[in-house]
Amino acid sequence: MTKLTIVAFDGQRFEIDAADGSTVMENAVRNSVPGIEAECGGACACATCHVYVDDAWTAKVGEPEPMEEDMLDFAVDVRPTSRLSCQIKIAPDLDGLVVHVPERQA
Ligand code: FES
């Protein structure tokens, strides 16, 4: 289990014990985090699972793959720390990861 914190737009913090191999999106949906719609179910085809990776974690989480980068064009208020949460896989080296939910999705 890997510790994952998802901060909703209203500041509510969801501290989750996430299974390795699951995605940040799956954990958000499972814990009813508001603001993660995930309409495509994790196929990198909707951009409604957009999150901002916390500044302390951006280097560790890394850059989006080209397909994700293209899909991020459809997200609202994209920043350098933007990622699609269905494309971030939980692993032990991400223990303590923090992501923030934007004000609204696409
Ligand atoms: Fe659709 Fe992530 S759930 S792109």
Side-chain angles (χ1 to χ4, degrees), residues 6-9 14 23-40 42 46-52 83-86 99-105:
I6 305 176
V7 185
F9 186 72
F14 293 78
T23 67
V24 171
M25 177 279 276
E26 288 166 347
N27 286 284
V29 169
R30 202 171 295 139
N31 289 275
S32 304
V33 176
I36 298 292
E37 295 167 16
E39 282 167 12
C40 78
C46 73
T48 62
C49 65
H50 176 207
V51 295
Y52 303 118
R83 289 291 311 265
L84 295 179
S85 59
C86 69
V99 303
H100 302 265
V101 179
E103 183 174 10
R104 66 190 177 95
Q105 299 288 348

